[in-house]
Amino acid sequence: MADPAEEGDGLTEGERIKFTEAFNIWDRHEQGYIPWNPDFACLWRSIGMNPTESQIKQYISDNDTGTGHFELDTFLRLCETKEDGYRREHFIEAFKIFDKDGKGTITIPQLRYILLQLGDPLEEADADEFIAFADKNKEGNAAEIDYEDLVERLDDRDPKNL
């Protein structure tokens, strides 16, 4: 088996740790491998992926070496190539909830509320930093942020973590 530290070179350290931990949780018998069927689909979904059944079958077809199971190195290699394209759309859809008039924008006060009050709230300084990034024309509270542009700029800034 390949050294897991060598696999997943395209992943951040945090991703490698997270994916290894997820693998270890699904490796219930601590054998160092997990059956493709039925566990791969559940494991893949547990890391935030939402594949179709045909995508699952394709992953298995492309990667099963005939053993009926996969090891950590195979899983980390798959994690390197996972498609996160749907995440951009999720961000845009979330912003649309606050876009009452359908103009494709949200205000700075709305963005501040989202950052400080919803989900896992940011610290005030972190929220200020994000708002400064979002307000590219430096208009302050009067600004209306084009959220599709914001998501695109975030993706350009750090495509692996959008």
Side-chain angles (χ1 to χ4, degrees), residues 51-85:
T52 64
E53 286 304 312
S54 65
Q55 289 170 320
I56 291 293
K57 288 178 184 173
Q58 189 64 47
Y59 279 122
I60 293 170
S61 171
D62 291 348
N63 294 284
D64 188 1
T65 59
T67 63
H69 64 263
F70 61 97
E71 297 174 348
L72 177 61
D73 60 330
T74 301
F75 180 62
L76 292 176
R77 200 170 50 253
L78 287 170
C79 290
E80 282 181 343
T81 61
K82 68 184 175 57
E83 298 276 336
D84 281 342

